[in-house]
Amino acid sequence: MALATRTDRRPSFARTVWDSSVGKKTVMAVSGLIMLLYLVVHMIGNLKIFFGAGEFNHYAHWLRTVGEPFMHYEWTLWLIRVVLVVAVVAHATSAYQLSRRDIRARPSKYVHKKARASYATRTMRWGGIILGLFIVWHLLDLTTGTVHSGGFQEGHPYQNVVDTFSTWYGNVIYIVAMLALGLHVRHGFWSAAQTLGVGSRTRDRALKAVANVLALLLTAGFIAVPVGVMTGVVS
């Protein structure tokens, strides 16, 4: 009589962490901070448009030559893109799965909603969807030129930006997305701090202040570009 053998394998540590709610929240926090760092750098770079076409186009060219001659042309830029794509996918996937898990845990809606929930907290999911759709539009507009208005000019980012924000719909899409970004950052930064164990009773006020300042600066910094085009400061 043959003895039965066990073929069950214990899940790996990484799989165990990912399957837990704490693991997914940690992935969300780390990926969110990676994207936040990129946004700060990206905003600073965008503001170079106020120094003229030469300065802005030179900056865009420099992004493709970072790390030369050790790194080949555009290698650093593509490395950054890959890291960002991984961060976005990880952030969106963990957010979706946590949302589904939360819905399954409470199949019926609460009778009384939490009155103290902030507007940013209540719109985190919709804000994420808006930002996801915006990223797709933004790439098709200013990276590939697929949906760009006015004739996309490869290697002339200054003119491409001016073309985009010379249309009413380009301004509306961008400004709405940046307002959603501000709300997302405002709640997300504080939430990430709590998840990573940085928050405490004594630090909460400071963390919330930092979150508010970051959200305000990013929103104002990004919106300054379309406003600059609309007012003729950038032309």
Side-chain angles (χ1 to χ4, degrees):
M1 179 175 170
L3 295 175
T5 58
R6 290 183 61 86
T7 58
D8 296 342
R9 293 183 180 180
R10 297 181 63 182
S12 64
F13 175 75
R15 182 57 185 266
T16 301
V17 172
W18 172 249
D19 286 341
S20 68
S21 295
V22 173
K24 293 183 189 299
K25 288 180 180 179
T26 301
V27 170
M28 276 194 70
V30 174
S31 58
L33 291 175
I34 290 173
M35 291 186 287
L36 178 60
L37 176 61
Y38 167 77
L39 287 170
V40 171
V41 175
H42 187 45
M43 180 203 68
I44 294 172
N46 279 3
L47 294 177
K48 286 181 175 291
I49 200 168
F50 290 100
F51 295 94
E55 181 81 11
F56 191 71
N57 289 339
H58 176 71
Y59 164 69
H61 175 73
W62 173 80
L63 289 175
R64 289 159 173 75
T65 61
V66 173
E68 288 187 343
F70 178 75
M71 298 291 281
H72 193 60
Y73 183 76
E74 284 195 342
W75 277 15
T76 301
L77 183 59
W78 274 106
L79 179 61
I80 294 171
R81 287 170 175 168
V82 170
V83 171
L84 282 173
V85 168
V86 171
V88 170
V89 171
H91 196 78
T93 302
S94 54
Y96 174 76
Q97 292 185 358
L98 282 170
S99 176
R100 299 303 302 172
R101 184 171 293 182
D102 183 50
I103 292 173
R104 286 196 299 269
R106 49 178 180 82
S108 58
K109 295 183 179 180
Y110 292 124
V111 176
H112 301 290
K113 294 182 179 180
K114 293 181 180 179
R116 288 193 171 186
S118 67
Y119 185 77
T121 302
R122 287 184 278 115
T123 56
M124 281 294 285
R125 291 170 186 170
W126 279 111
I129 293 173
I130 290 172
L131 290 172
L133 294 173
F134 168 75
I135 290 172
V136 173
W137 175 82
H138 195 52
L139 291 174
L140 292 176
D141 179 35
L142 293 176
T143 301
T144 67
T146 307
V147 299
H148 185 75
S149 61
F152 184 77
Q153 300 181 50
E154 185 71 36
H156 295 83
Y158 181 93
Q159 189 57 50
N160 292 333
V161 170
V162 172
D163 287 343
T164 291
F165 297 130
S166 294
T167 62
W168 68 267
Y169 58 86
N171 290 313
V172 170
I173 292 173
Y174 194 86
I175 291 174
V176 168
M178 292 307 101
L179 292 175
L181 173 67
L183 291 172
H184 211 75
V185 169
R186 181 174 177 268
H187 176 73
F189 179 83
W190 183 84
S191 181
Q194 305 305 309
T195 298
L196 298 176
V198 179
S200 67
R201 287 185 178 181
T202 56
R203 296 173 185 168
D204 276 357
R205 182 175 295 180
L207 287 170
K208 287 181 179 180
V210 172
N212 289 334
V213 170
L214 274 173
L216 180 61
L217 288 178
L218 284 171
T219 303
F222 280 119
I223 289 179
V225 178
V227 171
V229 175
M230 284 188 288
T231 57
V233 175
V234 177
S235 61

